[in-house]
Amino acid sequence: MDDGLKCPKCNSEHVYQDGMLWICPECAHEWNPQAEGGAGAGAEAAADQGVRDANGNVLSDGDAVTVIKDLKVKGSSLVVKGGTKVKNIRLVDGADGHNIACKIDGIGAMNLKSEFVKKA
């Protein structure tokens, strides 16, 4: 694009305009730069406050969560059982979707996806 507009979600340069919205063909993100106060300014703030658990509750650093289903630990024979309570979580920006950093008793430090936990 000639104006240098990039996707606020994946930073792709291959975006196009459809009416009032801009669309990224790589990640399918749609946004309106005028409504957000500039390209990406509002999208970044919305993404930071938008980490939600499986029930839709907003999560924040220091919360306690409960795992809702058995999760296999990749690269190991360990399993995080459903109902395991995890205290003092940290929200991180994981590129692979793992947006919770935590320490689980008996397993150690690991990252979880917010869709597999509920706020305790």
Side-chain angles (χ1 to χ4, degrees):
M1 299 265 87
D2 292 336
D3 59 359
L5 188 63
K6 293 183 179 181
C7 175
K9 190 171 183 182
C10 70
N11 208 26
S12 171
E13 295 177 351
H14 306 289
V15 297
Y16 62 92
Q17 188 172 10
D18 185 17
M20 294 297 295
L21 294 177
W22 284 86
I23 301 171
C24 175
E26 292 184 14
C27 69
H29 181 66
E30 299 178 354
W31 75 100
N32 184 349
Q34 288 79 26
E36 296 174 354
E44 293 297 324
D48 290 340
Q49 70 182 12
V51 177
R52 297 181 180 271
D53 68 358
N55 295 331
N57 298 319
V58 177
L59 297 173
S60 60
D61 287 344
D63 282 346
V65 295
T66 304
V67 178
I68 60 172
K69 65 180 254 181
D70 290 355
L71 301 172
K72 293 180 182 177
V73 178
K74 192 172 187 177
S76 154
S77 62
L78 298 173
V79 175
V80 178
K81 295 286 187 181
T84 302
K85 189 169 184 179
V86 181
K87 300 177 186 174
N88 198 17
I89 65 169
R90 286 182 307 130
L91 301 180
V92 295
D93 186 24
D96 56 353
H98 294 83
N99 49 7
I100 297 175
C102 61
K103 185 175 181 183
I104 299 176
D105 293 336
I107 295 177
M110 65 183 310
N111 292 338
L112 297 172
K113 292 184 178 183
S114 60
E115 63 199 50
F116 298 121
V117 299
K118 66 179 181 178
K119 197 168 187 176

